Structure formats: structure tokens, C-alpha cells
Amino acid sequence: MRAADATLLFVPGLGDSGPDHWQTRWLERLSTGYRVEQADWDRPLLADWTAAIVRAVVASARPVVLIGHSLGVPAIAHAARRFESGKVRGAFLVAPPAEASLQTVEGVDPAFAPFPRGPLPFPALLVASRNDRFADFAASEDLSYDWGAQIIDAGEAGHINAESGHGPWPEGLMRFAAFMAKL
């Protein structure tokens, strides 16, 4: 599948993705990309976040590919069973937090954890770092197995955001393009 043939829905995490974040930079380059807007980026409620994702998927006239980062990843997993069958063709999931780490972040709705278990109803690629402060690699590996997602070891890449030096993140864009080609 080509990016031009799909709606690319970007699902940022807590606090949204700032101007230097790879999600924002990719969104500026990919003409079929749209950010899933949340009512409150700093005090996320699971019901509101999943409803916004579902609304964005329903509103798309084309097949959808989701691109999630951090807290956006479990939000996608929670929303996944609510999508019309076949509408979402895949998900590119980057740096999901560990369930335990959410308990230490002020303002995050405790309903985000536990994360859904069992295979996602669409192909998924999960990119994880070996030194992410919000999740150890083993927790990300467990999620990939539970969700039936292929895992990509990003090495020591921090939280894979602008703060960890992943502004444009060209390696990630190449991984995303390869993932799209298989859908």
C-alpha cells in the first residue's frame, strides 16, 4: 500500500508531539496525514482518547494506517476492537510505555492500564528502545507478542522523541515505508 492510498492517522502521546517531534515532522511531509486531536493532552482520559481515535477512523473515506507514539500506542490498542472490520489496515507503534510506568505519571487516567491483550485486528509493527525511561525492552517485547506485532529493536534510542534526538527520524521513516509496502 502506498501512503497516498491511505489516511495516515497520527496518535501522539501525553502532551502531544511538539514541532520538533518526528510525528509532527512526518505529518508535515505526508499529504494524507492527520493528527488525532485530543480534548486534553495533559490529563488524558482513556474514554475520551479512544473515542477521538474511533471518530477519526470512522471519518476517513480511505483505508487507515495508525501511527502511534508513547501513550498513543495503548490508546490505539484500547480502541482497536471498536473499528469497523478491515477499515484499519495497519499500525506503526513507537515507544509504548510500560503499564507500571503509567502509575508514576501524574494526570494519566488509571484506566489506560492494564493494556488489552490478544492479537490486534490488523498488522502492526512495534518499535522499542533498549533505554526508554518509560518502558524496558522486555515489556515492549511482551506487548509485541501479545498484540501479534513485529518488534523492531531501535537500540539505545531513549523514548524515540525529539528529546532523545529523534526529530526527523529518517530511519523510522524508512521502517514505516517498508511497513506500508507490505500492507
Side-chain angles (χ1 to χ4, degrees):
M1 170 178 273
R2 296 176 324 136
D5 298 329
T7 296
L8 308 176
L9 292 179
F10 288 81
V11 184
L14 183 67
D16 195 3
S17 294
D20 294 327
H21 194 285
W22 61 265
Q23 279 189 315
T24 301
R25 289 177 177 219
W26 290 11
L27 185 57
E28 291 168 353
R29 293 182 61 188
L30 299 168
S31 64
T32 61
Y34 301 90
R35 183 184 313 270
V36 174
E37 293 295 339
Q38 300 294 351
D40 192 338
W41 289 107
D42 299 318
R43 300 193 67 76
L45 296 173
L46 177 63
D48 293 347
W49 277 41
T50 56
I53 296 167
V54 170
R55 279 193 306 273
V57 169
V58 168
S60 175
R62 293 183 289 192
V64 171
V65 175
L66 298 162
I67 304 166
H69 179 259
S70 194
L71 192 61
V73 174
I76 288 169
H78 280 287
R81 307 284 180 298
R82 296 174 52 195
F83 302 142
E84 176 186 326
S85 180
K87 182 81 177 259
V88 173
R89 298 291 174 87
F92 187 77
L93 310 171
V94 181
E99 291 169 326
S101 76
L102 292 183
Q103 297 169 359
T104 66
V105 181
E106 185 179 334
V108 174
D109 183 356
F112 274 92
F115 299 160
R117 296 297 192 232
L120 294 172
F122 41 75
L125 183 88
L126 191 151
V127 181
S129 169
R130 295 244 171 218
N131 65 340
D132 188 335
R133 67 180 186 204
F134 296 108
D136 63 26
F137 190 78
S140 297
E141 256 184 333
D142 288 346
L143 281 179
S144 74
Y145 297 137
D146 288 345
W147 292 343
Q150 177 186 355
I151 190 163
I152 299 295
D153 183 343
E156 294 195 4
H159 193 50
I160 312 177
N161 58 7
E163 292 167 0
S164 65
H166 295 85
W169 194 32
E171 302 87 357
L173 192 55
M174 289 173 34
R175 289 277 188 188
F176 177 68
F179 175 67
M180 287 292 296
K182 293 178 183 177
L183 297 179

